Amino acid sequence: MSKEEELLELSKTVSSCKLCKLHTTRTQTVFGEGDPDAKIFFIGEGPGATEDKEGRPFVGKAGMLLTRILEKGLGLDRSRFYIANVAKCRPTVDLKFLKDRPPEKDEVSACSPYLIKQIEIVRPSVIVSMGNPATKFLLSTNEGISSLRGNWHEFNGIPVMPTYHPSFVLRNGTEEVKKEIWNDISLAAEKVGLKIQVQIKWKDSR
Ligand code: URA
Ligand code: SF4
């Protein structure tokens, strides 16, 4: 089976998954997408409202920022990377307001085997974990993102670069934080031999 076929088969399994309580509130699962041969694999937290509606990862506001970093900063279409989340269903606070929250421990335990399988299939050269849930899971640590980001770590022999989650950058986008996320993603790009294109114009990033 080709990588593409393996991913398709796994995505079919995920689409009917009921292993955790998040299946009760989802519109649909968000498996992830991108180049099965991607050198860089980006991992977020879980789908938000827009992703839940569209069935694709990082297509809301945070997604627009990530897309901008990849396409303007690294100069490649986002389809050249692989993009997925720790949780494949939208993590919600309650049924009534569907307010977003990070995935809980039991949800990460239930869902993460799918992510591990995706990583095994794609076999990227580098992983960029964005934010605390992805980073804590991959590195089996309780340390926060601000002390881990900017340095190389490892998951199953694959180099991992933790960085801030794009939503955090949107909410808390001090110049320092913007410089840091760009620094971290540039390090990942350099490691796989990608030439950095241009510095991003942050003002246009929303
Ligand atoms: N935030 C995430 O962590 N993942 C998405 O897919 C969208 C927003
Ligand atoms: Fe299954 Fe993951 Fe969705 Fe939970 S979040 S129901 S484990 S696909």
Side-chain angles (χ1 to χ4, degrees):
M1 246 201 299
S2 70
K3 285 180 169 193
E4 222 156 2
E5 288 165 341
E6 282 189 72
L7 288 165
L8 183 66
E9 195 171 286
L10 183 62
S11 77
K12 284 183 188 158
T13 306
V14 169
S15 69
S16 58
C17 174
K18 293 183 176 172
L19 285 178
C20 83
K21 58 187 177 296
L22 294 182
H23 85 273
T24 61
T25 45
R26 74 183 176 217
T27 304
Q28 58 191 316
T29 55
V30 178
F31 179 67
E33 65 184 26
D35 184 350
D37 288 314
K39 292 216 161 58
I40 312 182
F41 193 126
F42 288 88
I43 307 176
E45 187 169 310
T50 317
E51 289 78 18
D52 173 76
K53 206 166 121 208
E54 294 192 20
R56 296 179 57 209
F58 283 98
V59 288
K61 267 195 191 149
M64 273 150 66
L65 175 57
L66 177 63
T67 303
R68 189 173 175 80
I69 294 175
L70 301 183
E71 300 193 346
K72 297 276 191 267
L74 303 188
L76 285 181
D77 194 84
R78 62 174 260 162
S79 64
R80 301 284 301 278
F81 303 90
Y82 202 87
I83 306 174
N85 287 301
V86 174
K88 309 303 192 207
C89 302
R90 181 185 179 190
T92 51
V93 172
D94 62 55
L95 279 168
K96 191 154 171 232
F97 297 105
L98 293 176
K99 203 168 146 11
D100 294 332
R101 59 159 171 80
E104 287 163 4
K105 254 209 168 111
D106 59 321
E107 296 157 356
V108 172
S109 310
C111 207
S112 51
Y114 298 132
L115 175 67
I116 295 174
K117 196 82 216 300
Q118 281 172 303
I119 296 171
E120 281 171 3
I121 296 169
V122 175
R123 277 181 273 117
S125 306
V126 159
I127 294 171
V128 176
S129 63
M130 302 180 290
N132 275 315
T135 305
K136 285 184 175 174
F137 166 70
L138 283 179
L139 306 183
S140 311
T141 178
N142 272 323
E143 260 189 75
I145 191 71
S146 49
S147 64
L148 297 166
R149 60 143 292 275
N151 292 302
W152 288 106
H153 303 264
E154 209 182 275
F155 173 77
N156 287 355
I158 304 167
V160 175
M161 176 54 68
T163 194
Y164 298 115
H165 192 286
S167 305
F168 173 79
V169 180
L170 286 178
R171 261 184 290 117
N172 221 318
T174 62
E175 288 311 306
E176 191 60 22
V177 164
K178 289 173 185 169
K179 231 194 267 167
E180 287 173 339
I181 189 176
W182 176 238
N183 166 79
D184 303 344
I185 292 180
S186 304
L187 285 174
E190 277 164 17
K191 202 169 184 77
V192 302
L194 265 183
K195 263 222 200 103
I196 308 304
Q197 297 294 307
V198 287
Q199 181 57 275
I200 309 149
K201 291 192 191 99
W202 291 101
K203 270 191 195 127
D204 308 335
S205 67
R206 59 194 77 198

